[in-house]
Amino acid sequence: MTFGIATPGKIIAVHLNYPSRAAQRGRTPAQPSYFLKPASSLAATGATLERPAGTELLAFEGEIAIVIGEPARRVSPADGWNHVASVTAANDFGLYDLRAADKGSNVRSKGGDGFTPIGPVAIPAAGIAEGDWRVRTWVNGRLVQEDTSDTLLFPFGRLIADLSQLMTLETGDVILTGTPAGSSVVLPGDVVEVEVDAPGAPGAPSTGRLVTTITQGVAEFGEFGTRPATDDLQRVEAWGGEEELAAAVAAGRASTPAAAGATEVTTPAAPSFELTDELRADFGRVAVATLSVVLRKRGYHDIFIEGVAANHPGDRIVGRAKTLRFIPFRPDLFQSHGGGFNAQKLAFDTVAPGEVLVVEARGERGTGTVGDVLALRAQVRGAAGIVTDGGVRDFDAVAGFEIPVFSQGAHPSVLGRRHVPWEVDVTIACGGAAVQPGDVIVGDGDGVIVIPPQLVEEVLAEALEQERQEAYVAEQVAAGASVDGLFPMNAEWLARYRAATEA
């Protein structure tokens, strides 16, 4: 049930219905057209909605939803409104990354779990005309959509009459009546609110705000279906226009459009690699210094996260990276992204067991980027560690936890002094090293190093062999041997080493 009514048998959505949206799209339909959404896509106010892993273009659409009362079959446009029991708010979320899979049906692009928030209150339609309704949408507290039902290309009664020519609209069925201009893309950490009211009706009834918080999904799409893909056209349409996309790129909220002439940009699949318990154990036997030497042989010179040290002497970490990015403080950006369930809270609340949360703080140590509550949350979730090239608040309390934390040290200031929590699960720069989600992070007393997944097995094998050789060298030095010709081993010493290890 949603806002106190039974789950609808049908959820029918209208493609284009507001002149403002039609103008934005550059086409005005002569007749209404529709698509269906599954009941499993329904969600209530206060819910969270995952942006699936590998996608970038999750867009909101604030809408007026009408709920059928008396069943309608072959009714006239003049009679259609009489079959509406109530009106409420809805958000018709969609993924432009999956539009190519649907051929217009919107099954995958708009049918996901939670993609149809509705509520929180249903307003009885009796005594209120079909043209008296208003819909408004806010993103992070900023009003982004506002329009009224008296502007519709196809009034509610006409929609009901048209649909009822072919199907019986049954009690409880829901019709999403279209979205006005202003629909755009939302990112993990954003909060979207939709309200429908009748400001000119007695008592100015309102649904209240339908609230949805966007989070980042972690489950990748399989190879057995159409994978997410984007191109410049989809980006422009998702953001609402070329100017809106350019503004989003400038604000760091959108990726740069593909080069001119490109037809498709597909999000690459994550490397096929699993950090097994056996590999974790092997990394526990290898020093970061050794891994650094092996990686340098392969041309990887900037894979060391500079300036960070562990809060517990002797701590080691091994895990795959989950990333969090902060941008420099700016009052308006902190107002839009700093409050509520922001990107920082999202990262700590979704870090998976065995992952290392890596935080880009631009080397700015003059404020805290993690405190005791969030560090505890990461520990409870089973994170393997936290790495930040910024400071740590509540340092003594955090040091009292079991979770290893590598940072630039203590600082008492809160986040908003220097940072805005911006986004999660993106490529970041931490301590001068590029870190991608899924990279392998290894840390010890010498610091923290980043290993691309595709190199793990060969790098680890060579590092283990180098550790064995260095252990042999140490034994010989302890027994009185000179380091001349032994460190590094010349041909004679190598022969002795191989004979000893093969015996």
Side-chain angles (χ1 to χ4, degrees), residues 30-282:
Q31 300 293 344
S33 62
Y34 315 91
F35 57 94
L36 292 170
K37 300 194 78 173
S40 56
S41 70
L42 289 172
T45 189
T48 58
L49 176 62
E50 282 191 359
R51 184 183 73 174
T55 65
E56 64 172 279
L57 301 178
L58 174 64
F60 65 87
E61 295 182 5
E63 306 204 9
I64 299 170
I66 56 178
V67 183
I68 298 298
E70 184 69 23
R73 178 73 165 114
R74 295 194 178 98
V75 302
S76 69
D79 186 42
W81 179 243
N82 295 326
H83 290 263
V84 175
S86 58
V87 172
T88 191
N91 202 331
D92 180 21
F93 281 101
L95 274 171
Y96 283 72
D97 313 69
L98 292 177
R99 290 177 81 183
D102 286 336
K103 306 300 183 185
S105 72
N106 290 338
V107 169
R108 297 183 74 211
S109 62
K110 284 179 172 278
D113 288 355
F115 274 49
T116 315
I118 193 165
V121 172
I123 303 171
I128 306 176
E130 59 183 314
D132 289 349
W133 303 90
R134 175 176 65 174
V135 60
R136 290 178 294 174
T137 306
W138 295 261
V139 175
N140 300 323
R142 183 171 67 89
L143 183 66
V144 293
Q145 285 187 298
E146 181 172 6
D147 215 325
T148 52
S149 59
D150 59 345
T151 69
L152 292 177
L153 297 169
F154 313 112
F156 301 147
R158 180 172 172 180
L159 298 176
I160 292 168
D162 182 28
L163 290 165
S164 73
Q165 296 182 94
L166 291 171
M167 67 184 77
T168 299
L169 298 176
E170 299 169 316
T171 302
D173 285 350
V174 172
I175 302 174
L176 309 182
T177 59
T179 195
S183 164
S184 192
V185 173
V186 282
L187 307 180
D190 287 346
V191 177
V192 189
E193 300 170 283
V194 182
E195 180 183 12
V196 168
D197 63 356
S206 168
T207 63
R209 293 197 183 185
L210 172 66
V211 181
T212 307
T213 300
I214 310 304
T215 65
Q216 178 59 52
V218 296
E220 298 285 344
F221 283 89
E223 299 292 343
F224 39 81
T226 303
R227 293 179 63 81
T230 60
D231 57 27
D232 287 354
L233 175 61
Q234 297 303 328
R235 288 190 177 94
V236 169
E237 291 208 345
W239 282 96
E242 292 183 357
E243 291 184 6
E244 290 81 357
L245 174 58
V249 170
R253 287 177 60 82
S255 58
T256 305
T263 58
E264 183 176 283
V265 177
T266 303
T267 303
S272 179
F273 167 78
E274 179 183 359
L275 185 59
T276 63
D277 290 342
E278 181 180 359
L279 289 173
R280 288 178 185 271
D282 285 343

Side-chain angles (χ1 to χ4, degrees), residues 261-314:
T263 58
E264 183 176 283
V265 177
T266 303
T267 303
S272 179
F273 167 78
E274 179 183 359
L275 185 59
T276 63
D277 290 342
E278 181 180 359
L279 289 173
R280 288 178 185 271
D282 285 343
F283 273 120
R285 297 155 44 203
V286 178
V288 165
T290 304
L291 292 169
S292 176
V293 171
V294 174
L295 282 162
R296 283 203 306 272
K297 291 179 181 178
R298 289 161 172 78
Y300 288 81
H301 300 284
D302 297 311
I303 36 68
F304 189 75
I305 296 179
E306 300 285 351
V308 302
N311 58 349
H312 307 136

